[in-house]
Amino acid sequence: RLGDINADGKIDITDLSLLSLYLIGDREFTDIQKQAADTDKNGKTELPDLATFIQYLSKVIESF
């Protein structure tokens, strides 16, 4: 599920934290986690995904 990086059934700050750790190189992701983290759906897991994630969690946008 898009945004649910830890596959616990919810999209929350834990998923955001995991993405942050991945982006700074402190966490490895499986291919499935990379797909879940690709919130802008461009095929890459990168900084713009983090920005989209923040917008979603702060309710600026309603979906990915």
Side-chain angles (χ1 to χ4, degrees):
R1 177 175 163 202
L2 192 59
D4 188 11
I5 297 169
N6 64 349
D8 67 352
K10 46 190 173 170
I11 301 167
D12 57 19
I13 194 72
T14 302
D15 299 297
L16 177 68
S17 297
L18 289 172
L19 178 54
S20 297
L21 291 171
Y22 172 81
L23 291 172
I24 63 170
D26 282 354
R27 177 93 181 191
E28 293 292 321
F29 275 4
T30 65
D31 288 340
I32 292 171
Q33 286 175 307
K34 288 177 188 175
Q35 289 174 340
D38 182 18
T39 56
D40 66 3
K41 304 173 196 167
N42 72 348
K44 302 174 192 170
T45 305
E46 53 195 1
L47 196 54
D49 298 306
L50 185 66
T52 303
F53 219 110
I54 292 168
Q55 290 177 335
Y56 176 79
L57 290 178
S58 60
K59 300 186 189 308
V60 172
I61 59 174
E62 293 184 20
S63 64
F64 296 118

